[in-house]
Amino acid sequence: MNQFRFSRRPDIGGRLRVSFEFFPPKTDEMEERLWQTVTRLEPLGPKFVSVTYGAGGSTRERTARTVKRILTETGIPAAAHLTCVGATREEVDAVVREYQALGIERFVALRGDPASGVGSVYRPHPGGYHNGADLVAGLKSIADFDVSVAAYPEKHPQSPDFATDIEMLKRKVDNGASRAITQFFFDNDLYERYVERVRRAGIYVPIVPGIQPVHNFRQVANFSSKAGAHVPAWLAERFEGLDNDPQTHALVASAVAAEQVMDLVERGVEEFHFYTMNRADLAFAICHMIGLRAQAPAPVAKQVNSAAA
Ligand code: FAD
């Protein structure tokens, strides 16, 4: 490594864009913690933040409330995740209109997983949207929302092959999605190869890497196998023996995520999406390392009463 590396250029932070993902808090205490996280990350000037949607719509109100609060109390553009699993089109459209009435204009459109759990067989609701692509079309028929979708560098576990997987991504983009956010991954070569395949398929929207700081290795490893994200042996080795040593675990997690993000910057990636788990520390530290600095909060827009003002 030397000082001429791309990721060490002093102007690099000005070129990078980040977004942060949160989940809707269940209790007042969790809400307080989320709010501290939002307040800490806001000055980094994220392009947007997003709030997940619980399986089968279980967080419909909490997701809406959280997005609405972010929109009202910060200057950050905020997106609501939305799934179509287990609901009719009319039910999903009603949620969209409810969100729209609250001022929500950005969505992350997802199929979702069956109530029986991630990894079990998916069956579309007979009167529902069939998949992510179908949901994007539904959203766009209601209004010209900003729509992001999911992408899978290791292919979705239910996709028989990459061609089928990328064909679904193409349908989502053809139906109006303007960016894809990837499932988390730990091997940057897989991401790079995936982006090459996507471009070869004629898909030109940003494929934003989803970065998962490893707050808890066991949890991430358990979820990975179901989500279709491979945990390399070297990663397991780095966390080996740290289950009862949270301080070292956190330091290792920080080093692992920083190493991954720096390497992606070296490969020319300029946009990142962080799965924050509602915690600011790791995401903030990594953003700092790649040169992002707190900006002064944007001035609150004032009412302009005269054309000359
Ligand atoms: P789709 O794109 O519809 O399908 C996924 C894959 O399955 C496709 O690539 C396709 O190849 C295959 N497939 C689908 N239908 C068929 C078919 N008929 N025949 C053959 N193959 C088919 N889940 C939540 O519940 N709430 C969230 O907030 C949430 N946020 C997420 C955010 C991101 C960035 C990501 C990556 C995932 C998120 N998920 C969330 C998880 C997501 O719901 C699951 O991964 C789900 O299994 C797939 O959703 P999708 O929109 O990618 O599905």
Side-chain angles (χ1 to χ4, degrees):
M1 290 236 267
N2 62 50
Q3 74 269 35
F4 300 112
R5 290 195 68 152
F6 192 57
S7 59
R8 293 181 176 184
R9 282 175 46 161
D11 61 335
I12 195 71
R15 302 159 65 135
L16 303 180
R17 298 282 170 272
V18 295
S19 52
F20 301 114
E21 183 172 307
F22 307 121
F23 62 85
K26 273 192 190 142
T27 62
D28 289 352
E29 199 185 339
M30 286 166 81
E31 173 144 5
E32 179 56 30
R33 189 168 89 177
L34 170 61
W35 212 244
Q36 285 168 7
T37 298
V38 172
T39 309
R40 177 113 171 100
L41 296 176
E42 180 187 7
L44 293 173
K47 188 169 174 181
F48 68 96
V49 298
S50 71
V51 180
T52 59
Y53 196 74
S58 55
T59 67
R60 181 171 61 87
E61 280 167 18
R62 281 189 282 126
T63 297
R65 204 168 54 235
T66 308
V67 176
K68 169 85 177 149
R69 186 171 175 198
I70 293 170
L71 285 173
T72 312
E73 297 185 29
T74 76
I76 318 173
H81 292 217
L82 179 70
T83 67
C84 57
V85 59
T88 64
R89 285 172 188 245
E90 289 72 24
E91 285 163 346
V92 174
D93 291 356
V95 174
V96 174
R97 292 208 165 83
E98 196 183 299
Y99 279 25
Q100 188 185 21
L102 294 170
I104 297 170
E105 292 173 351
R106 291 170 174 263
F107 289 91
V108 181
L110 303 141
R111 186 196 73 181
D113 290 304
S116 40
V118 181
S120 47
V121 180
Y122 178 84
R123 284 195 184 77
H125 189 288
Y129 291 109
H130 288 152
N131 49 48
D134 212 11
L135 178 61
V136 175
L139 276 161
K140 285 290 199 180
S141 73
I142 293 175
D144 190 18
F145 296 120
D146 175 281
V147 181
S148 303
V149 291
Y152 301 88
E154 300 179 59
K155 80 177 183 57
H156 188 277
Q158 282 149 13
S159 296
D161 48 45
F162 272 103
T164 314
D165 194 83
I166 290 172
E167 173 55 28
M168 179 62 83
L169 179 62
K170 183 145 178 28
R171 282 165 61 192
K172 296 182 202 182
V173 173
D174 288 347
N175 287 350
S178 49
R179 91 183 49 72
I181 301 168
T182 76
Q183 183 60 280
F184 65 86
F185 58 92
F186 296 107
D187 180 344
N188 289 348
D189 288 345
L190 292 173
Y191 167 80
E192 203 167 13
R193 276 204 292 278
Y194 177 74
V195 174
E196 282 165 14
R197 288 176 205 254
V198 164
R199 300 296 180 232
R200 276 203 299 275
I203 302 168
Y204 300 109
V205 299
I207 308 295
V208 183
I211 304 297
Q212 175 73 70
V214 184
H215 293 288
N216 182 323
F217 177 74
R218 291 223 169 268
Q219 266 176 18
V220 170
N222 280 341
F223 182 68
S224 293
S225 55
K226 295 174 198 144
H230 163 68
V231 173
W234 61 261
L235 187 69
E237 272 165 31
R238 286 193 183 175
F239 287 98
E240 198 179 293
L242 297 182
D243 286 355
N244 300 317
D245 183 351
Q247 274 183 330
T248 311
H249 190 294
L251 287 168
V252 172
S254 172
V256 164
E259 184 183 11
Q260 178 177 23
V261 171
M262 292 301 205
D263 180 64
L264 287 168
V265 171
E266 291 296 332
R267 295 173 193 234
V269 176
E270 296 192 342
E271 209 173 328
F272 297 91
H273 182 80
F274 289 93
Y275 295 108
T276 68
M277 309 303 288
N278 292 6
R279 297 176 189 201
D281 45 6
L282 279 178
F284 190 90
I286 298 157
C287 288
H288 186 89
M289 281 185 72
I290 57 175
L292 281 143
R293 294 292 179 269
Q295 304 164 356
V300 176
K302 293 210 172 68
Q303 192 73 40
V304 176
N305 293 321
S306 87

